[in-house]
Amino acid sequence: MTEQCSKPLVIGLAGFGTVGGGLARLLEENADLIRQRTGRDMVVKKVLVRNAGKARSVALPRGAQLTTNPADLTDDPEIDVLVELMGGIEAAGSIIDRALDKGKHIVTANKALLAEKGIALLEKAGRLGRILRYEASVAGAIPVVAALKESLTGNRISTLMGILNGTSNYILSEMTSSGLDFNVALRQAQELGYAEADPTLDIDGHDAAHKLTILIQLAYGVAYPFTAMPVRGIRGLSSMDIRLAREFGYRIKLIAQARQCATQDGRAPRLEAGVFPALVHHTLLLARVGGVYNAVRVEGNAAGSLFFHGRGAGDLPTAGAVLADLVAVARDERPNNTGFVGDRLETAEVVPPAEWRSCYYVRLMVDDAPGVLRDLAGCMAEEGISMAQVIQKSDEEGHGVPLVFMTHETTEKAMSRALQHTLDRGMLREPAVYFRVLG
Ligand code: NAP
Ligand code: HSE
């Protein structure tokens, strides 16, 4: 039996905003539980911030020193673990890199860093035998990182699908249920501490793409080139489409999805992966994920379908995930940073979006005139697209009528070519709007 360490785990906390403040509260509130689970205390020795003079709503952990100098954390030999809760890529990346060099373990919630520059850090941590944990980086309180890295290692994962951005889901839910304006809902999400420092990451889909990149690594053991991922967010989404989708029995959700396609033996997995707003049938669990909640559906060849649901953002839900990683560090668990053997991950093969197959919802603003429906059907037929349902609304505002239809399964390439035909034939009063349809 190995001897259990009983000396306090000394923490250097980089970042004392929403999540850092939540962590300070939890360390205090759950101190006895931490001792029961690890046999040790956790002590925050130093807290790094950008602006030391800023008024803060949460008190500094007892005995902690505030600093604006990263070296006070990285170069302090008493600090065992650096908890990075600053966000951003460059400064956060260099402090983690330096802390690894200085022999520290790392806990981070920084999905942007992990998705865009994380491979080098994971490789370095692996080489040096350091723990680098990141449960809070994906889906807040939902323990999906641990599930993929540990509990589901007996499964081959065919599909991962989820709602991975709390801010966008909050905005879409408020627009759907209360008819709230996009910008008002975004402001509320910012006030509640859900949004990123730069909220365009949330609404343009990049935050969900960061998280999906991390899940892909964990599920398939490959590096997915983040810049190759097709990403479309919810900016400019119209309440008309939310309303019309409801009439067809669907909700619009920002979906992150990865599917493994057939691969030749010995080749890296071929993956179809991306982030996009999609219509989700109201009977599916994903359609019922409201507010700041996130969800992840995982299909495994042994487990079948699994559905994880919980708070995807906010101070305590996220801090709880950070604390779970700290408990693992305090227990000195063996580094298992990617869930796969070896320091290097090979690169996934990317399926171009043009080849993806899906059903579509399409809204065209057209003239209410004889022959329009015939011409539209012609444009679709030219690309082999079969229409499943069509509705036409009345011309209330003089911008033409919304002609809305759902298609049977087709490729993205065929859909964009067919829509180009409608444009070339002068049928459109406004650019076409189209979304994938799930289930
Ligand atoms: P936040 O509220 O904006 O707090 C960031 C903290 O880091 C602040 O204390 C800030 O200092 C400090 N900081 C930022 N840049 C710094 C720099 N260059 N040098 C020193 N200190 C710096 O952010 P947050 O919402 O807590 O998010 C932190 C991390 O957790 C991010 O990676 C985010 O993506 C991730 N995350 C957040 C949530 C959430 O719900 N908020 C959920 C999951 C993951 P000042 O206080 O002086 O400005
Ligand atoms: N801004 C992120 C979101 C925080 O809204 O989901 C949680 O990662």
Side-chain angles (χ1 to χ4, degrees):
M1 220 169 103
T2 54
E3 204 182 313
Q4 200 172 346
C5 174
S6 59
K7 100 175 199 2
L9 181 77
V10 182
I11 297 169
L13 177 56
F16 199 59
T18 303
V19 186
L23 180 65
R25 274 182 57 193
L26 271 191
L27 285 169
E28 169 95 29
E29 283 173 28
N30 292 355
D32 54 343
L33 178 69
I34 292 166
R35 217 169 295 125
Q36 286 160 15
R37 288 201 181 273
T38 67
R40 304 173 70 175
D41 289 323
M42 290 188 190
V43 177
V44 179
K45 185 172 180 198
K46 290 185 183 151
V47 175
L48 175 73
V49 292
R50 200 170 17 201
N51 174 2
K54 192 166 162 180
R56 304 192 181 265
S57 55
V58 178
L60 272 195
R62 214 169 310 145
Q65 261 173 267
L66 198 64
T67 176
T68 54
N69 180 5
D72 285 345
L73 278 67
T74 55
D75 296 15
D76 181 336
E78 279 185 11
I79 290 180
D80 301 304
V81 54
L82 178 93
V83 179
E84 186 278 305
L85 301 174
M86 294 158 43
I89 294 186
E90 297 311 327
S94 68
I95 191 171
I96 290 178
D97 192 63
R98 172 91 181 163
L100 286 171
D101 283 335
K102 292 286 177 181
K104 309 200 182 312
H105 299 301
I106 308 292
V107 172
T108 178
N110 193 334
K111 54 273 162 126
L113 173 67
L114 290 169
E116 297 193 27
K117 300 272 172 71
I119 294 291
L121 294 174
L122 286 164
E123 285 176 3
K124 181 165 184 168
R127 256 193 334 272
L128 297 174
R130 313 259 190 272
I131 302 170
L132 194 170
R133 295 187 68 105
Y134 43 94
E135 183 62 66
S137 66
V138 183
I142 304 176
V144 65
V145 170
L148 289 170
K149 200 165 54 167
E150 284 147 28
S151 319
L152 290 172
T153 46
N155 280 258
R156 283 184 191 284
I157 309 296
S158 55
T159 309
L160 281 168
M161 182 191 290
I163 293 174
L164 297 181
N165 184 261
T167 300
S168 318
N169 203 52
Y170 181 85
I171 294 171
L172 291 175
S173 303
E174 291 297 314
M175 286 175 79
T176 307
S177 59
S178 327
L180 220 63
D181 179 62
F182 185 98
N183 288 317
V184 176
L186 170 59
R187 212 164 32 248
Q188 287 184 357
Q190 287 176 295
E191 282 162 12
L192 289 163
Y194 303 155
E196 295 304 301
D198 171 6
T200 60
L201 287 171
D202 297 296
I203 59 185
D204 290 334
H206 299 292
D207 177 73
H210 286 144
K211 294 166 180 164
L212 183 62
T213 305
I214 296 169
L215 292 184
I216 288 172
Q217 276 172 27
L218 290 160
Y220 302 105
V222 287
Y224 187 95
F226 176 73
T227 47
M229 187 176 286
V231 181
R232 180 178 163 198
I234 61 165
R235 190 191 290 272
L237 195 107
S238 121
S239 48
M240 187 194 296
D241 292 306
I242 291 181
R243 224 175 35 243
L244 289 166
R246 277 187 88 101
E247 289 187 29
F248 281 107
Y250 290 83
R251 306 285 176 271
I252 300 185
K253 294 288 183 190
L254 184 67
I255 297 295
Q257 178 179 287
R259 290 198 286 218
Q260 176 158 19
C261 303
T263 319
Q264 282 168 4
D265 280 351
R267 300 264 298 272
R270 224 178 154 245
L271 296 176
E272 213 182 82
V275 173
F276 44 85
L279 271 68
V280 183
H281 198 263
H282 74 95
T283 54
L284 295 181
L285 287 174
L286 273 180
R288 302 183 195 180
V289 176
V292 71
Y293 280 78
N294 281 190
V296 187
R297 203 175 86 195
V298 182
E299 306 283 342
N301 70 337
S305 184
L306 292 158
F307 191 80
F308 301 83
H309 177 248
R311 285 181 192 278
D315 53 0
L316 292 184
T318 312
V322 174
L323 183 50
D325 280 345
L326 281 170
V327 165
V329 174
R331 288 169 169 164
D332 207 12
E333 289 185 2
R334 188 182 65 81
N336 173 26
N337 301 330
T338 62
F340 287 82
V341 173
D343 299 338
R344 301 193 78 83
L345 296 178
E346 52 178 331
T347 303
E349 204 184 315
V350 174
V351 178
E355 289 178 26
W356 299 16
R357 294 191 68 79
S358 179
C359 300
Y360 283 90
Y361 157 102
V362 186
R363 173 171 61 82
L364 307 178
M365 299 304 286
V366 296
D367 289 329
D368 190 4
V372 169
L373 206 52
R374 180 204 56 211
D375 293 348
L376 169 66
C379 293
M380 295 296 135
E382 267 178 58
E383 299 301 331
I385 298 175
S386 167
M387 293 160 77
Q389 293 181 64
V390 184
I391 53 172
Q392 183 182 304
K393 294 294 189 183
S394 56
D395 186 359
E396 284 163 13
E397 292 165 22
H399 300 309
V401 289
L403 183 58
V404 187
F405 59 97
M406 309 281 270
T407 72
H408 289 294
E409 203 175 81
T410 183
T411 61
E412 167 107 24
K413 183 173 173 190
M415 180 48 72
S416 54
R417 285 166 65 135
L419 291 175
Q420 185 63 43
H421 298 325
T422 62
L423 187 66
D424 295 344
R425 285 170 206 173
M427 293 172 59
L428 305 186
R429 292 273 204 105
E430 289 177 11
V433 173
Y434 67 108
F435 301 111
R436 290 196 175 84
V437 179
L438 302 182

